[in-house]
Every structure is written in structure tokens, then in C-alpha cells.
């Protein structure tokens, strides 16, 4: 098969001034895309900011003959997001791909976490994904083409001590994807998620150097590039780190129909082994399939 190329295509990568986003932006540009490099340029906890980080990556892209422009807006700022999209449209007239990657951390056990830190992280990750998607949505639908990659995390999919705010946001992003993947299908707008593991400033204090060495952010980028390609699936969660790629899915067991007569909490307790039996479990593509299963089991008695 031919190489994946993005000639003539326009990509926005948020939070692309460093870490994973920078690698994504560089690789899209190497493969012919015109790139909007967005980054607020703040510290890891979301304080401060300058457009220098984005500008530096733009210079790197230009140095190898690529095309890129910088945007220093916060992904949570309505006017800034509108400006980012306007810059892309004014310069190149279209937007084909959005990689929603920007993010911050405010880790603390839930006991010690303030509601302010919870809301801030939720806002940057979840609304900082929703707002850029909203801003490109009608453009992509009108083009009958779009590829959106959102960024989730094992902390959201499975949990991680000290990251209740971040985990809530990261799984919220998956809930968002699960619905817009259905709404975008008719217009060939595909939405997928990357669940990365990489050595960046976010993780540099969490793992030993030997492990970090194996977790280069550029080892995640091929997964993002595939999810941005014409052949991309929709609604997939691609876990990626150190060159290992896997699909993350939510499964539902076949379950058991306990009947209406005498239905009780004790019956649920006593049926736990059957309820959780993995034989016949399925991953659904949309919520209605759960209802379909329920009525199938009813008809089976
Ligand atoms: P990073 O801190 O190097 O990169 C995040 C970038 O987002 C920074 O350049 C930062 O300036 C920018 N940013 C933060 N708030 C912003 C805002 N409001 N508007 C615009 N830009 C903003 O961290 P890393 O690791 O590259 O993270 C990238 C994404 O991957 C994040 O969404 C993160 O949650 C996610 N992730 C990373 C993992 C890892 O192992 N590094 C694991 C799971 C998820």
C-alpha cells in the first residue's frame, strides 16, 4: 500500500509546543501537511503562558521546508479557539484534521484535591477538546471529510491514584467521542482516540530513566498519523507506547435475565457469577445495542 501522505491537507494540533503534540505536528509536516501549531506555552499545572513554544515548533517545521503557523491561544478560550480556526481558514482555506492533545495536570488524592483543581483540569482536557472540535465540526461536515483524534489516558480508562480530576476528564472525552462518531459518520468525519504512554514533562518524575528511554513520544505518533489517515476507523481507542499498539474497548457481558417475579437484590447477589461471566461478552458501537441485548434476552425467557 502507498505511504500515508497529507499533501494539500491542513492539520491543527493543540498543545503542540512540546511533548507528544510537537512530535505529532513535526510528523504531519514531514508527510506534507500544512500545520497549525497551537500551544499556550504554560507550565505543567496550567499557569503562565507565551506563544514562544508554538513558534519554536513552527521554526523547526520551516527549517525542513514544511509549512506551519503558530497559535498561542488556550484551548479553553472561545475567542482564542475561533482565532486558531480562522488562521487556518484564512491561510489555507480548509481544515482536514484536528488533534486535540493539549493538557495539564493537578495531581492530588481526592481527599486533598480542591474543587478548583478538579474543575480546572476537567475544563482544560474536556472543554479544551470540545471547543476546538465544535469550531471545526461544520467545516469538516461541509467538506464531507474530517479526521479528529482526541487524547485519552489509562488514568481515565482504568484509574490512577491521585488523578480523579484528570481521569474524569479523560473518560469524559471518550463519552464525547462515542456520540460524535455517530453524528459525523454520514459526512465522513471520523473520530478516534489515542491513549499514549510517553516520556514527557508530564511523566518524567513518575518513571525511572531506563523506562523513560523506551517511551519516546515519537513512538506514539505513528498511531496518531494512522488515525488521521483516509483509512482510519472511527470510534477506536488506540493505546500506544514504546512502539506497542493495542485497542482499548469497553465490554459488556451477556448477562442474565432474572425475570420480574420475585426480583430482588438477593437474586442479583446470588447471580453475580452469571452476571459477570465473560462468555459471550461484547463491545458495542452505540448505546442502543445494549437495549437490543436486553430485549433479546427477554425473548429468550
Ligand atoms: P506536555 O505537558 O509535554 O504537553 C502538553 C502541552 O499542552 C504543553 O505544551 C502545554 O503547554 C499545552 N497546553 C496545556 N494547556 C493548554 C491550553 N489550555 N491550551 C493550549 N495548550 C495547552 O505533556 P504530554 O505528555 O505531551 O501530553 C500530551 C497529551 O497526552 C495530554 O492530553 C496528556 O494528558 C496526554 N497523555 C500523556 C501521557 C504520557 O504518558 N505522556 C499519558 C496519557 C495521556
Amino acid at each position: 500500500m502507498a505511504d500515508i501522505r497529507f499533501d494539500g491537507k491542513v492539520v491543527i494540533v493543540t498543545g503542540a509546543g512540546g511533548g507528544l503534540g510537537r512530535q505529532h505536528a513535526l510528523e504531519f509536516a514531514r508527510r506534507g501537511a500544512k500545520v497549525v501549531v497551537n500551544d499556550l506555552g504554560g507550565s505543567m499545572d496550567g499557569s503562565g503562558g507565551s506563544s514562544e513554544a508554538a513558534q519554536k515548533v513552527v521554526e523547526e517545521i520551516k527549517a525542513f521546508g514544511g509549512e506551519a503557523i503558530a497559535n498561542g491561544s488556550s484551548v479553553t478560550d472561545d475567542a482564542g479557539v475561533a482565532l486558531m480556526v480562522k488562521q487556518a481558514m484564512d491561510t489555507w482555506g480548509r481544515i482536514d484534521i484536528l488533534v486535540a492533545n493539549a493538557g495539564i495536570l493537578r495531581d492530588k488524592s481526592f481527599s486533598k484535591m480542591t474543587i478548583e483543581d478538579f474543575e480546572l483540569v476537567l475544563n482544560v482536557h474536556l472543554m479544551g477538546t470540545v471547543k476546538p472540535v465544535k469550531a471545526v465540526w461544520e467545516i469538516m461536515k461541509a467538506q464531507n471529510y474530517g479526521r479528529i483524534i482526541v487524547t485519552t489516558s489509562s488514568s481515565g480508562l482504568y484509574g490512577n491514584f491521585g488523578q480523579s480530576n484528570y481521569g474524569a476528564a479523560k473518560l469524559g472525552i471518550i463519552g464525547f467521542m462515542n456520540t460524535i462518531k455517530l453524528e459525523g459518520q454520514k459526512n465522513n468525519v471520523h473520530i478516534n482516540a489515542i491513549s499514549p504512554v510517553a516520556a514527557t514533562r508530564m511523566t518524567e518524575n513518575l518513571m525511572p530513566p531506563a523506562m523513560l528511554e523506551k517511551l519516546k513520544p515519537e513512538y506514539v505518533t505513528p498511531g496518531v498519523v494512522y488515525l488521521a489517515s483516509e483509512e482510519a476507523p472511527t470510534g477506536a481507542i488506540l493505546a500506544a507506547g514504546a512502539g506497542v499498539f493495542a485497542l482499548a474497548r469497553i465490554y459488556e457481558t451477556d448477562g442474565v435475565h432474572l425475570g420480574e417475579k420475585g426480583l430482588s437484590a438477593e437474586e442479583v447477589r446470588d447471580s453475580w457469577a452469571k452476571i459477570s461471566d465473560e462468555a459471550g461478552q461484547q463491545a458495542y458501537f452505540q448505546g442502543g445495542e445494549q437495549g437490543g441485548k436486553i430485549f433479546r434476552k427477554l425473548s429468550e425467557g
Side-chain angles (χ1 to χ4, degrees), residues 2-269:
D3 287 352
I4 296 173
R5 294 284 308 174
F6 298 99
D7 304 290
K9 291 211 162 79
V10 178
V11 185
I12 297 176
V13 185
T14 71
L20 286 156
R22 172 174 163 268
Q23 292 300 333
H24 304 338
L26 292 171
E27 186 60 14
F28 279 117
R30 282 187 207 110
R31 289 172 181 266
K34 300 167 169 69
V35 186
V36 179
V37 179
N38 158 271
D39 205 292
L40 176 65
S43 62
M44 202 170 70
D45 69 0
S47 52
S50 98
S51 59
E52 240 172 72
Q55 193 54 47
K56 260 174 98 176
V57 176
V58 166
E59 299 310 327
E60 279 185 84
I61 290 172
K62 286 188 173 161
F64 61 75
E67 279 186 70
I69 53 175
N71 171 278
S73 306
S74 169
V75 286
T76 58
D77 174 45
D78 296 306
V81 169
L83 173 68
M84 176 173 82
V85 168
K86 186 174 182 306
Q87 277 177 278
M89 293 304 284
D90 286 354
T91 314
W92 297 306
R94 55 186 295 122
I95 298 166
D96 300 280
I97 297 158
L98 167 69
V99 183
N101 161 84
I104 59 165
L105 288 180
R106 294 256 172 132
D107 292 358
K108 270 196 180 97
S109 70
F110 189 59
S111 290
K112 294 191 181 129
M113 187 174 292
T114 62
I115 288 296
E116 189 197 359
D117 280 349
F118 200 104
E119 281 182 339
L120 182 74
V121 168
L122 199 65
N123 195 34
V124 171
H125 286 276
L126 183 55
M127 295 316 294
T129 295
V130 172
K131 287 181 178 184
V133 171
K134 179 75 178 165
V136 301
W137 191 247
E138 298 308 324
I139 295 169
M140 288 183 174
K141 279 177 71 181
Q143 282 170 185
N144 275 312
Y145 191 80
R147 295 288 180 265
I148 296 170
I149 294 94
V150 297
T151 307
T152 187
S153 165
S154 58
S155 303
L157 297 170
Y158 312 115
N160 194 25
F161 196 99
Q163 294 196 318
S164 56
N165 51 358
Y166 180 73
K170 287 306 203 188
L171 201 53
I173 288 170
I174 296 301
F176 173 57
M177 173 184 85
N178 285 342
T179 284
I180 61 166
K181 79 181 178 203
L182 303 172
E183 297 181 8
Q185 248 179 342
K186 191 170 76 189
N187 296 96
N188 194 14
V189 179
H190 291 196
I191 301 97
N192 293 284
I194 191 87
S195 179
V197 185
T200 66
R201 67 178 186 172
M202 260 195 201
T203 49
E204 66 191 358
N205 297 322
L206 304 177
M207 290 179 249
M211 207 184 250
L212 292 170
E213 180 54 34
K214 295 274 179 214
L215 290 169
K216 295 204 169 86
E218 54 266 43
Y219 297 163
V220 170
T221 296
V224 172
V225 167
Y226 167 64
L227 294 177
S229 71
E230 304 216 354
E231 297 87 358
T234 194
I237 305 169
L238 181 62
V244 175
F245 295 87
L247 207 58
R249 282 197 178 123
I250 297 175
Y251 285 91
E252 184 165 310
T253 63
D254 195 48
V256 59
H257 176 209
L258 296 177
E260 292 169 28
K261 241 191 182 158
L263 185 60
S264 66
E266 291 74 18
E267 221 184 336
V268 174
R269 177 195 62 197

